Amino acid sequence: MPHSRRYRSSERSSRGSYHERYRSRKHKRRRTRSRSSSSERDRRRRREDSYHVRSRSYDDHSSDRRAYDRRYCDSYRRNDYSRERGEAYYEAEYRHSYEYRRSRDHDGSYRSCKSSRRNKHRRRRRRSRSFSRSSSRSRQSSRRAKSVEDDDEGHLIYRVGDWLQERYEIISTLGEGTFGRVVQCVDHRRGGTRVALKIIKNVEKYKEAARLEINVLEKINEKDPENKNLCVQMFDWFDYHGHMCISFELLGLSTFDFLKDNNYLPYPIHQVRHMAYQVCQAVKFLHDNKLTHTDLKPENILFVNSDYELTYNLEKKRDERSVKSTAIRVVDFGSATFDHEHHSTIVSTRHYRAPEVILELGWTQPCDVWSIGCIVFEYYVGFTLFQTHDNREHLAMMERILGPIPSRMIRKTRKQKYFYHGRLDWDENTSAGRYVRENCKPLRRYLTSEAEDHHHLFDLIESMLEYEPSKRITLAEALKHPFFDVLKTEPSTKVWDSSRDISR
């Protein structure tokens, strides 16, 4: 089966009409007219224009063209932490409130019109990125960027060396997603600790998703202050000139990026075991606290440290990597949903989407279990189980791999267009039918060894990929599965040993 490539759905932005912006500028210029010189009027006009170009509206996407559909686009599978979704740090000054708060430098950026000519000259661009309170001019100039600007997509424009909040010094870019970018920063209020800072686009729907994510991360911090349950730790969050920013512990590569960089070489089964166990632990913690993640995928599971050992494969004539430690963290809670909250119709990235979601039968926490089953399979074989972007084809793949969809689910779904006389309406003689037939096979035929632990693994995956949510294994039950028994007997230092498994 070919390795997955993804594409992201298009986003269309619309700006206000030319006449509306012209009237707005004209109105503002009338108010500030009078004794200003021509150059000063030009500066004001540029500053006012910059606010109008921020207006954007985004189309609603169909269920198959959502921002997190990603077939045939490796660039989207970069570590977007999802919708997307971030993490952040909390200190003693942190206020336990979900109210939207402005950053200090935002408040300080608006000064009296009676300031000196020197201050006016310093303010000739829209806004300063950071404001140093030091009396030292050299220190102040080194921390201040020339302006705060966004690109056409709403990303914050920044450079290495820029400071945010008089605290975060940008070192490098870690990744980019539809939600914004993640950068590595030095946190100068935490003794120079390096952190990951998620900078959300200045687009309202992503800002709102970030606020929801912050709310979830607050709950996680409250329930797990010692960070024992393997969910990424948030340290701080703030609004930076319209960009929601979240800082969080700096982690390694995602389990997908490591797989991709390793030429999609599957993880050995002993590493699959430890990674799967940790994912089950982390998501069980969420479920116990009445949360459903809804967007579990290899991109949203990160290694704490992705250092690796390198060996040369003589047969394939290539270097192969083996991660030294399989300790992981679950990230990206931008789509996480509390049990009492509204449950949107479509959730999860396409390849990890449960059948009850596709058939719009309503979903609860078992949809996360289905996603984990798909993830564990991907770790074991190196490629995605359901490589498709179409609902009907997705259901056909499920039937080819797992058997017929239960008649009860077919009778109950509103999506009767996918069925005919109680069976999936699917023609195996079409090009799509041949693709499914040639690239999918019954689940057990993907076994790479007849060893007992391999059969235990597939028994676990089968129980996670049960069609009926009510019959699907719970994570509390999964943690007691025989596949994980060896973790309870082996010394902890051997769990993530990087040596290759001889049964592979």
Side-chain angles (χ1 to χ4, degrees):
M1 180 177 288
H3 297 307
S4 57
R5 290 180 177 270
R6 323 291 191 194
Y7 63 85
R8 83 180 68 168
S9 59
S10 61
E11 294 175 348
R12 296 195 295 269
S13 59
S14 62
R15 303 175 189 273
S17 70
Y18 171 81
H19 294 294
E20 289 173 347
R21 285 184 284 142
Y22 176 79
R23 284 199 299 270
S24 178
R25 292 198 298 270
K26 186 176 180 181
H27 176 67
K28 290 190 176 184
R29 285 201 298 273
R30 268 201 298 265
R31 289 165 53 191
T32 57
R33 192 164 62 188
S34 71
R35 292 176 294 183
S36 301
S37 66
S38 62
S39 61
E40 199 166 319
R41 285 199 300 271
D42 289 340
R43 286 196 298 272
R44 290 180 180 173
R45 183 161 57 250
R46 285 197 299 272
R47 186 163 63 246
E48 289 161 358
D49 287 350
S50 68
Y51 286 92
H52 291 279
V53 301
R54 289 181 181 271
S55 174
R56 294 178 176 85
S57 65
Y58 281 74
D59 295 343
D60 291 328
H61 302 295
S62 69
S63 62
D64 288 332
R65 289 171 56 89
R66 296 177 69 85
Y68 42 80
D69 276 355
R70 31 168 225 162
R71 190 184 189 199
Y72 301 133
C73 180
D74 285 338
S75 63
Y76 181 77
R77 289 203 64 156
R78 295 187 66 81
N79 190 21
D80 51 11
Y81 297 85
S82 155
R83 206 168 12 186
E84 290 195 281
R85 326 105 209 108
E87 297 76 323
Y89 283 147
Y90 288 120
E91 299 197 68
E93 65 183 10
Y94 162 69
R95 286 179 277 175
H96 289 274
S97 167
Y98 184 53
E99 292 300 318
Y100 185 98
R101 76 172 187 259
R102 293 181 179 272
S103 59
R104 285 193 297 270
D105 63 336
H106 188 284
D107 294 334
S109 63
Y110 299 97
R111 302 182 184 179
S112 169
C113 294
K114 297 180 180 180
S115 57
S116 65
R117 290 183 63 185
R118 178 184 301 174
N119 287 338
K120 286 182 180 179
H121 179 71
R122 288 175 181 170
R123 272 201 328 276
R124 67 183 179 274
R125 300 220 181 193
R126 271 184 284 170
R127 287 168 288 185
S128 172
R129 285 197 192 202
S130 60
F131 289 82
S132 173
R133 298 178 184 177
S134 168
S135 59
S136 168
R137 291 183 184 179
S138 61
R139 184 179 177 191
Q140 187 179 46
S141 61
S142 68
R143 293 189 183 186
R144 179 188 293 128
K146 291 183 178 180
S147 64
V148 173
E149 297 180 50
D150 301 337
D151 64 17
D152 291 339
E153 294 182 358
H155 290 289
L156 176 69
I157 298 174
Y158 59 82
R159 294 181 296 275
V160 171
D162 285 351
W163 285 58
L164 280 67
Q165 295 289 95
E166 296 182 337
R167 172 175 180 175
Y168 299 102
E169 181 181 0
I170 297 176
I171 302 301
S172 64
T173 299
L174 296 175
E176 178 177 330
T178 55
F179 66 92
R181 294 190 176 104
V182 179
V183 297
Q184 182 180 175
C185 294
V186 174
D187 186 347
H188 289 277
R189 293 191 193 172
R190 298 180 65 89
T193 302
R194 296 205 173 194
V195 299
L197 187 70
K198 185 175 180 179
I199 305 175
I200 307 299
K201 283 181 182 178
N202 192 3
V203 175
E204 189 55 41
K205 68 174 181 178
Y206 297 123
K207 288 159 68 174
E208 179 59 25
R211 296 183 189 112
L212 296 174
E213 180 173 23
I214 290 165
N215 191 32
V216 172
L217 290 165
E218 287 177 354
K219 182 75 170 181
I220 291 172
N221 279 359
E222 176 189 333
K223 295 292 184 179
D224 184 23
E226 297 181 6
N227 196 26
K228 292 181 178 180
N229 287 287
L230 310 180
C231 295
V232 72
Q233 186 176 19
M234 181 174 77
F235 295 127
D236 182 32
W237 67 273
F238 56 92
D239 170 29
Y240 185 71
H241 301 298
H243 296 271
M244 300 299 293
C245 298
I246 314 171
S247 74
F248 53 97
E249 58 181 317
L250 185 62
L251 301 170
L253 289 175
S254 74
T255 55
F256 172 78
D257 283 333
F258 190 93
L259 187 70
K260 178 185 172 185
D261 293 346
N262 203 23
N263 296 305
Y264 298 95
L265 179 71
Y267 293 98
I269 193 167
H270 67 288
Q271 292 188 341
V272 173
R273 180 185 289 112
H274 186 229
M275 292 157 66
Y277 189 79
Q278 292 174 93
V279 174
C280 289
Q281 279 185 311
V283 181
K284 178 182 178 297
F285 164 75
L286 298 178
H287 291 182
D288 289 345
N289 286 282
K290 300 183 179 181
L291 266 170
T292 307
H293 188 286
T294 78
D295 196 30
L296 293 168
K297 55 186 175 181
E299 292 93 325
N300 288 338
I301 301 167
L302 273 59
F303 288 117
V304 174
N305 187 329
S306 52
D307 289 347
Y308 56 86
E309 292 178 348
L310 200 63
T311 57
Y312 185 73
N313 188 319
L314 286 171
E315 183 182 346
K316 296 184 179 179
K317 297 181 180 180
R318 68 182 185 189
D319 289 327
E320 294 182 352
R321 302 176 182 182
S322 182
V323 67
K324 292 181 178 179
S325 171
T326 47
I328 57 93
R329 295 287 185 273
V330 173
V331 306
D332 187 359
F333 297 91
S335 301
T337 305
F338 288 99
D339 289 355
H340 67 273
E341 291 181 321
H342 169 72
H343 286 36
S344 57
T345 303
I346 299 296
V347 292
S348 303
T349 298
R350 157 63 67 186
H351 314 288
Y352 311 95
R353 190 175 294 163
E356 65 267 24
V357 177
I358 297 173
L359 297 176
E360 296 186 10
L361 295 171
W363 55 267
T364 53
Q365 292 166 349
C367 76
D368 280 347
V369 180
W370 178 279
S371 299
I372 295 172
C374 297
I375 292 167
V376 174
F377 176 91
E378 192 166 337
Y379 289 161
Y380 178 80
V381 298
F383 54 82
T384 312
L385 179 59
F386 300 110
Q387 180 58 57
T388 182
H389 71 284
D390 176 77
N391 277 342
R392 194 187 305 270
E393 186 177 76
H394 197 165
L395 294 171
M397 287 182 167
M398 288 182 184
E399 290 207 331
R400 174 79 172 163
I401 295 168
L402 304 171
I405 298 170
S407 57
R408 189 201 68 84
M409 296 180 74
I410 295 174
R411 288 195 304 270
K412 193 175 178 182
T413 182
R414 294 179 297 173
K415 296 291 184 178
Q416 291 297 320
K417 63 180 181 179
Y418 299 136
F419 303 95
Y420 183 72
H421 290 320
R423 298 181 62 183
L424 183 66
D425 187 8
W426 181 253
D427 185 355
E428 292 189 353
N429 296 317
T430 63
S431 59
R434 287 191 297 273
Y435 170 78
V436 171
R437 189 171 62 253
E438 293 168 3
N439 291 281
C440 299
K441 55 189 177 184
L443 186 63
R444 291 276 177 166
R445 289 177 59 185
Y446 288 101
L447 277 163
T448 60
S449 169
E450 292 299 319
E452 184 181 36
D453 54 350
H454 289 252
H455 280 280
H456 281 159
L457 170 60
F458 272 71
D459 181 69
L460 175 63
I461 293 173
E462 280 180 345
S463 62
M464 289 180 166
L465 298 182
E466 175 65 48
Y467 282 115
E468 294 270 10
S470 60
K471 297 179 181 178
R472 204 171 296 156
I473 193 172
T474 67
L475 294 179
E477 294 167 343
L479 290 169
K480 298 175 183 177
H481 193 277
F483 179 62
F484 297 126
D485 285 349
V486 67
L487 297 180
K488 301 164 188 176
T489 58
E490 287 185 350
S492 59
T493 55
K494 295 292 184 182
V495 167
W496 52 76
D497 192 280
S498 60
S499 60
R500 301 288 297 180
D501 189 287
I502 59 174
S503 66
R504 197 53 148 156

